[in-house]
Amino acid sequence: MGHAQKTKASVVVSSYNEPLITSEWAVEIFKAAKQAGLMCAYVSNGNNTPEAMEYLRPYLDAYKVDLKCMSEKSYRTLGGTLQNTLDGIKRARDLGLWVEVVTLVIPGFNDSNEELWDAARFLAELSVDIPWHVTAFHKDYKMLAPDNTDSQTLIRAAEIGREAGLRYVYAGNLPGNVGEYETTHCPRCSYQLVKRSGYVIQKYKITEEGKCPKCGEKIAGLWPKNPSTVGLNGFGRPVSIS
C-alpha cells in the first residue's frame, strides 16, 4: 500500500491478466487497501460465478467489464461465452457494485449498428446509469487487421448508446477527435461536469455530495468527497514510484 499512498492513488485495481483467476491474491491485497482507506476494483472479462462474486463482494467497490460483442458465435472465436458475460455484468450490478462496461469497437467484427444497438439496449435495461465506453481498435502484436477504428465510428457507437437511453456514454482513446464524448455532462441540465482530454482531467465541477452544482442532480458514480483533491492537467500517464 505504500506505493499507492506515495502516488496519492485512491483506488487499487486488479487487472491483466484476468483478475478472476487470482481472486485469492486480490483479496489479500484488497484487505490491506481497505485498511489504508483505498477503494478496490476489478477490470475483468465478466466471466464470473456467483461464488466468486460473493467472495469478492466485501472488498470490491467497482467492477469494469469488457463486453467484446453481442454475437455468441463471435464470442466463441475469442474463447468466451456471451451469455456468461452478460450474466456477469448483471450479477455485479445486482450485488451493488459500481459497474462500467467497455466495448472495443472493431471494424467488421462488432461495429454494425445492429450489434451496437443490442449492447446499448442490454445495458440500458439493466440501468441507464451504467457508463458505456466505446473505444478504438488499433493494429498491434498478432492482430494486424482490420484497419484502425476511426473517430466517426466511435461517435456513431456513442450516439447509439445515448439514443438507447444511456446517460453516461464515452468514446475513448482518440483524444480530441470525439467531441463531447470525452466529457461528463449532467444528464438533467447538460452542464459540463468533468472535462477530459484522454486520461487528463482538465475541469472538475461535481460537488462533494456527488451532485451537479447547477441543478442539483445526483450524478451516478464514485466521486471524491473532497473535489479539491482531484488532480487537474496532469501528465495522463503512470507516475513513477522509483
Side-chain angles (χ1 to χ4, degrees), residues 182-203:
E182 287 188 279
T183 297
T184 299
H185 293 89
C186 174
R188 181 180 177 186
C189 72
S190 298
Y191 184 70
Q192 186 185 87
L193 297 170
V194 185
K195 183 180 179 182
R196 303 178 186 84
S197 178
Y199 294 112
V200 176
I201 298 174
Q202 298 176 323
K203 294 181 181 179

Side-chain angles (χ1 to χ4, degrees), residues 83-138:
Q83 192 58 52
N84 288 354
T85 303
L86 300 181
D87 291 344
I89 294 171
K90 184 178 186 302
R91 185 175 295 119
R93 179 81 190 181
D94 289 346
L95 285 171
L97 297 174
W98 175 248
V99 175
E100 303 201 14
V101 174
V102 176
T103 298
L104 181 70
V105 181
I106 302 174
F109 178 74
N110 64 356
D111 65 333
S112 69
N113 284 349
E114 179 182 7
E115 196 156 350
L116 293 169
W117 266 106
D118 284 345
R121 287 193 187 102
F122 167 76
L123 296 175
E125 287 173 3
L126 290 182
S127 172
V128 295
D129 286 334
I130 294 177
W132 187 33
H133 305 260
V134 289
T135 57
F137 163 82
H138 66 273

Side-chain angles (χ1 to χ4, degrees), residues 58-69:
Y59 311 101
L60 277 180
D61 298 283
Y63 194 86
K64 191 275 278 186
V65 176
D66 291 302
L67 178 59
K68 308 294 186 182
C69 60

Side-chain angles (χ1 to χ4, degrees), residues 214-229:
K214 185 175 181 181
C215 72
E217 175 78 1
K218 181 70 174 178
I219 306 302
L222 300 177
W223 309 109
K225 294 180 180 179
N226 182 357
S228 67
T229 63

Side-chain angles (χ1 to χ4, degrees), residues 12-242:
V12 172
V13 181
S14 184
S15 181
Y16 309 107
N17 289 329
E18 174 52 44
L20 286 166
I21 66 176
T22 53
S23 289
E24 294 86 354
W25 172 84
V27 164
E28 291 304 309
I29 301 297
F30 289 168
K31 286 178 180 178
K34 286 291 187 181
Q35 291 176 354
L38 300 169
M39 292 189 292
C40 302
Y42 257 24
V43 172
S44 171
N45 62 25
N47 190 35
N48 58 56
T49 64
E51 294 81 2
M53 294 304 290
E54 289 293 340
Y55 172 69
L56 289 163
R57 180 61 189 94
Y59 311 101
L60 277 180
D61 298 283
Y63 194 86
K64 191 275 278 186
V65 176
D66 291 302
L67 178 59
K68 308 294 186 182
C69 60
M70 290 298 287
S71 161
E72 182 64 54
K73 182 179 179 181
S74 296
Y75 236 97
R76 288 189 178 278
T77 68
L78 303 174
T81 302
L82 172 60
Q83 192 58 52
N84 288 354
T85 303
L86 300 181
D87 291 344
I89 294 171
K90 184 178 186 302
R91 185 175 295 119
R93 179 81 190 181
D94 289 346
L95 285 171
L97 297 174
W98 175 248
V99 175
E100 303 201 14
V101 174
V102 176
T103 298
L104 181 70
V105 181
I106 302 174
F109 178 74
N110 64 356
D111 65 333
S112 69
N113 284 349
E114 179 182 7
E115 196 156 350
L116 293 169
W117 266 106
D118 284 345
R121 287 193 187 102
F122 167 76
L123 296 175
E125 287 173 3
L126 290 182
S127 172
V128 295
D129 286 334
I130 294 177
W132 187 33
H133 305 260
V134 289
T135 57
F137 163 82
H138 66 273
K139 301 176 184 180
D140 203 356
Y141 191 42
K142 292 185 178 181
M143 194 165 179
L144 301 178
D147 290 335
N148 294 348
T149 310
D150 60 33
S151 58
Q152 289 306 309
T153 297
L154 286 193
I155 291 171
R156 172 170 59 86
E159 288 175 344
I160 285 172
R162 185 169 289 178
E163 286 183 46
L166 293 170
R167 306 208 297 172
Y168 305 98
V169 183
Y170 303 97
N173 71 338
L174 292 178
N177 294 293
V178 291
E180 64 183 289
Y181 290 108
E182 287 188 279
T183 297
T184 299
H185 293 89
C186 174
R188 181 180 177 186
C189 72
S190 298
Y191 184 70
Q192 186 185 87
L193 297 170
V194 185
K195 183 180 179 182
R196 303 178 186 84
S197 178
Y199 294 112
V200 176
I201 298 174
Q202 298 176 323
K203 294 181 181 179
Y204 183 89
K205 300 294 184 180
I206 298 172
T207 70
E208 59 186 14
E209 295 85 13
K211 296 181 178 181
C212 171
K214 185 175 181 181
C215 72
E217 175 78 1
K218 181 70 174 178
I219 306 302
L222 300 177
W223 309 109
K225 294 180 180 179
N226 182 357
S228 67
T229 63
V230 177
L232 301 179
N233 300 308
F235 292 108
R237 59 178 182 267
V239 177
S240 173
I241 57 175
S242 59

